[in-house]
């Protein structure tokens, strides 16, 4: 059974590989199919991994944006203080310029490092998203198969109950007809007046 499941998953993996897929944990339809109480441990694990990667991507994008803005500000400060003389104030300015240049080098290194990390994240996100899709589809098909079995059972029950209901309706109609026939026979035999007296005594105490 497990081997069959693995084989099915492998086929599914090949089918979804590099397809344009929505990010499942950001899709409301996925959350409708998998409410919290119906998530398996595998689904929860993959969901956490995917959300962590998405958070990391968002954090890195913001950090790079902030670093670029900081670099722009430092570059502006360097350009604004280009004229340096040998006075004490000039020496202070020169030190500040050197420090700003050093900051820019460090920022460049950090931007490069974070951009490299950012470039790898979409592949990892896609990979985990594909894994989550395969697991989700496997569970959905398993649930559908189980529901089909239950639907068939319910259909059989409905069919049997319908037949029994027909029998009971026919039995009821038959008994009603017999009652009507008997009453009609007694009415004809005994006459309306006597029947009325018997009715009152028999049915109304």
């Amino acid at each position: 059974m497990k081997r069959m499941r693995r084989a099915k998953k492998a086929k599914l993996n090949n089918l979804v590989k590099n397809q344009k897929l929505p990010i499942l944990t950001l899709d409301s339809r996925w959350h409708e199919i998998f409410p919290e109480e119906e998530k398996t441990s595998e689904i929860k694990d993959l969901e956490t991994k995917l959300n962590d990667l998405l958070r990391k991507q968002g954090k890195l994008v913001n950090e790079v944006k902030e670093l670029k803005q900081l670099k722009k500000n430092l570059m502006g400060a360097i350009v604004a203080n280009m004229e340096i003389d040998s006075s004490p104030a000039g020496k202070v300015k020169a030190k500040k310029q050197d420090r700003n240049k050093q900051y820019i080098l460090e920022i460049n290194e950090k931007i490069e490092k974070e951009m490299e990390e950012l470039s790898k994240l979409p592949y990892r996100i896609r990979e985990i998203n594909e894994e989550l899709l395969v697991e989700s589809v496997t569970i959905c098909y398993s649930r559908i198969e189980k529901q089909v079995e239950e639907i068939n059972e319910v259909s059989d029950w409905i069919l049997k109950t319908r037949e029994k209901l027909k029998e009971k309706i026919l039995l009821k109609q038959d008994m009603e007809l017999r009652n009507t026939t008997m009453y009609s026979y007694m009415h004809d035999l005994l006459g309306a007046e006597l029947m009325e007296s018997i009715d009152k005594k028999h049915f109304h105490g």
Side-chain angles (χ1 to χ4, degrees):
M1 193 75 182
K2 278 186 180 178
R3 196 177 292 167
M4 265 178 70
R5 201 166 177 222
R6 273 200 299 270
K8 277 184 181 178
K9 277 189 180 181
K11 279 184 186 175
L12 262 173
N13 261 317
N14 291 332
L15 283 173
V16 303
K17 207 88 187 143
N18 300 324
Q19 293 289 330
K20 197 178 177 186
L21 303 168
I23 300 293
L24 295 184
T25 58
L26 302 178
D27 197 304
S28 60
R29 293 165 299 182
W30 183 80
H31 286 284
E32 275 180 41
I33 296 169
F34 288 98
E36 203 57 43
E37 66 277 6
E38 288 182 27
K39 287 172 188 170
T40 61
S41 54
E42 289 94 336
I43 291 278
K44 283 181 181 177
D45 184 43
L46 288 165
E47 181 185 20
T48 302
K49 280 182 188 173
L50 186 55
N51 285 339
D52 286 348
L53 287 168
L54 290 167
R55 268 193 293 272
K56 191 177 183 183
Q57 189 181 45
K59 191 179 169 212
L60 284 170
V61 166
N62 285 334
E63 278 178 16
V64 168
K65 201 187 284 181
E66 284 168 13
L67 286 166
K68 283 181 177 176
Q69 186 56 51
L70 182 58
K71 181 184 168 181
K72 192 180 172 184
N73 294 345
L74 289 168
M75 296 280 279
I78 288 169
V79 171
N81 293 290
M82 291 290 273
E83 291 171 26
I84 296 168
D85 53 33
S86 55
S87 68
K91 282 175 185 175
V92 169
K93 204 186 270 188
K95 265 188 180 180
K96 195 176 178 184
Q97 289 286 68
D98 288 341
R99 199 162 59 240
N100 282 349
K101 283 172 188 173
Q102 185 57 40
Y103 283 156
I104 286 170
L105 287 173
E106 286 169 15
I107 286 167
N108 282 341
E109 271 180 43
K110 200 164 184 193
I111 288 173
E112 196 180 328
K113 190 183 169 190
E114 293 197 349
M115 287 298 283
E116 194 184 334
E117 208 174 335
L118 259 174
S119 70
K120 290 172 189 170
L121 276 174
Y123 302 103
R124 187 75 186 121
I125 286 168
R126 189 171 68 197
E127 189 182 31
I128 297 295
N129 194 49
E130 283 171 1
E131 277 184 53
L132 182 57
L133 180 78
V134 166
E135 188 61 34
S136 300
V137 169
T138 305
I139 288 168
C140 281
Y141 270 92
S142 170
R143 285 179 186 173
I144 287 167
E145 282 166 19
K146 190 170 180 283
Q147 295 272 46
V148 165
E149 280 177 30
E150 288 177 10
I151 287 165
N152 289 336
E153 282 173 22
V154 171
S155 295
D156 286 344
W157 180 86
I158 289 168
L159 205 65
K160 284 172 189 167
T161 307
R162 198 177 279 153
E163 287 304 313
K164 278 185 182 172
L165 186 64
K166 271 187 200 170
E167 284 172 24
K168 296 284 184 192
I169 288 167
L170 287 170
L171 184 65
K172 176 180 172 278
Q173 286 171 345
D174 187 45
M175 287 191 291
E176 282 172 346
L177 185 64
R178 274 189 286 171
N179 272 357
T180 306
T181 306
M182 275 193 287
Y183 191 83
S184 178
Y185 175 73
M186 286 192 294
H187 194 279
D188 289 347
L189 190 72
L190 303 172
E193 207 176 309
L194 183 55
M195 269 308 284
E196 200 177 321
S197 300
I198 293 168
D199 276 350
K200 280 179 184 171
K201 192 168 178 59
H202 195 78
F203 295 109
H204 305 292

